[in-house]
Amino acid sequence: MKKIVFGIVLVSVFFSCNNSKEKNADKNVKVTDKAVAKDSVQENEVAADEKNKSDFDILLPRSYRTYEVNPAASLTDKWVDLYENNGEYYLAKADFKIEKGFDECSGDSLQSIIPKNKTIVFMDYPGLKLGKIKSLKIVKHKVWPKEKVTYTFNGINYVLRAEGKVLSEDKTDSDSDEDKVFKNVANYKLYLTANNGVEKLILAQESFNDTFVVLLFAGDIDGDGKLDLVFSANRDYEEERVILFLSSKATNDEAMKKVAEIAVQFDC
């Protein structure tokens, strides 16, 4: 009888140990899966960060809040100023002054870049040739979904085509015919084609908060005879965001490449 009881106990202990090992093995598998998934997400995030990296810095003629380092402090006369004068566009050494102030909204100090010229953007790209540059008159600053705009520059046709969902339309009291109607757009995508080549997605935005994409400049910034573009792409009415595309940085079958972006928040 004792032998039978001892045998039952021994079998119970054996199965108990096996079950414990199986549970621990399951736990290890689950932890490993989570770790792999986490690593995959991190890799995707790194890839996205690399894609969004700027080739060089740009600044806007505006006020910047001071947290640790104020962006305005990096601007020097070695930077290049893209500016407009009587409908013509020029590149020159940055000519500006810095004014200090205080932001009542955020309760923080400010440094403001006050430009001498009608500046579109300052670029930390000293290799650019200074002087008057060739540009195009912008016939349509906003390309709404289902619209297409063609610009011809040095014999090359550049087509901007937009996709997206128009959620609503509102009439405005603007004096500009182009701005008499404002559209609330979601899932916006802007494509570019040059000389009937491969169409490329150059800008995508899931949603806007009382804002939209606006073309600020079309012309030859880098002096290679091909079109470059500067967009305002504010995602929110309390943000100022500008994106710069240069043709000289393009690779493969691209017409141009996004080389710099700046986004400044001024919410309370």
Side-chain angles (χ1 to χ4, degrees):
M1 184 67 180
K2 288 182 179 178
K3 290 181 179 181
I4 294 174
V5 171
F6 177 78
I8 293 173
V9 170
L10 184 63
V11 170
S12 299
V13 169
F14 175 78
F15 279 110
S16 175
C17 289
N18 278 348
N19 287 339
S20 176
K21 288 178 182 179
E22 288 174 2
K23 287 180 181 178
N24 287 334
D26 289 342
K27 287 181 180 178
N28 289 334
V29 169
K30 289 177 183 177
V31 169
T32 303
D33 287 344
K34 287 180 181 178
V36 170
K38 185 176 180 181
D39 289 343
S40 177
V41 169
Q42 288 176 340
E43 287 174 3
N44 289 336
E45 288 175 351
V46 170
D49 287 342
E50 289 293 328
K51 187 176 180 181
N52 291 326
K53 268 189 175 180
S54 292
D55 288 25
F56 52 86
D57 291 331
I58 59 176
L59 284 169
L60 305 176
R62 58 159 297 115
S63 296
Y64 295 85
R65 292 173 177 171
T66 300
Y67 294 108
E68 293 181 357
V69 178
N70 193 299
S74 64
L75 182 61
T76 71
D77 59 6
K78 293 182 180 180
W79 285 49
V80 177
D81 180 3
L82 169 62
Y83 70 93
E84 181 266 333
N85 183 28
N86 294 324
E88 304 288 350
Y89 290 86
Y90 301 83
L91 294 176
K93 287 186 177 181
D95 192 351
F96 63 95
K97 62 180 180 178
I98 300 292
E99 290 186 355
K100 295 183 178 180
F102 185 78
D103 185 5
E104 296 289 348
C105 180
S106 65
D108 206 344
S109 59
L110 293 174
Q111 284 191 30
S112 302
I113 300 173
I114 312 299
K116 178 183 177 181
N117 303 308
K118 192 176 178 182
T119 300
I120 297 172
V121 64
F122 292 106
M123 300 170 284
D124 187 12
Y125 195 11
L128 294 173
K129 184 178 179 180
L130 306 183
K132 183 178 177 181
I133 59 176
K134 191 172 181 180
S135 61
L136 291 176
K137 182 179 180 181
I138 299 175
V139 295
K140 192 170 178 57
H141 293 81
K142 299 175 182 177
V143 186
W144 299 106
K146 298 184 180 179
E147 289 185 347
K148 185 185 293 187
V149 181
T150 300
Y151 289 96
T152 302
F153 189 78
N154 284 347
I156 300 176
N157 292 325
Y158 297 85
V159 180
L160 291 169
R161 184 183 68 85
E163 294 180 356
K165 185 176 181 181
V166 177
L167 305 177
S168 62
E169 295 186 22
D170 297 301
K171 291 183 179 181
T172 71
D173 55 2
S174 173
D175 294 330
S176 168
D177 291 337
E178 185 179 356
D179 295 326
K180 285 189 181 299
V181 175
F182 180 80
K183 301 178 183 182
N184 183 18
V185 176
N187 300 319
Y188 183 73
K189 293 181 179 180
L190 185 64
Y191 296 89
L192 175 67
T193 307
N195 257 9
N196 297 317
V198 178
E199 186 177 67
K200 293 287 186 177
L201 176 66
I202 62 170
L203 197 154
Q205 184 58 39
E206 290 185 7
S207 63
F208 299 92
N209 186 10
D210 291 336
T211 58
F212 194 62
V213 176
V214 179
L215 180 58
L216 299 178
F217 171 84
D220 187 8
I221 295 173
D222 50 26
D224 66 349
K226 298 178 182 179
L227 192 66
D228 306 310
L229 300 174
V230 181
F231 289 94
S232 167
N234 308 341
R235 294 159 291 198
D236 187 272
Y237 64 89
E238 292 180 316
E239 175 188 61
E240 187 171 5
R241 179 184 180 219
V242 167
I243 303 173
L244 169 62
F245 293 84
L246 293 183
S247 55
S248 60
K249 299 289 187 176
T251 57
N252 301 325
D253 53 0
E254 296 176 325
M256 60 186 69
K257 175 193 172 187
K258 171 184 165 184
V259 294
E261 175 179 341
I262 184 171
V264 183
Q265 307 291 331
F266 48 90
D267 56 316
C268 287

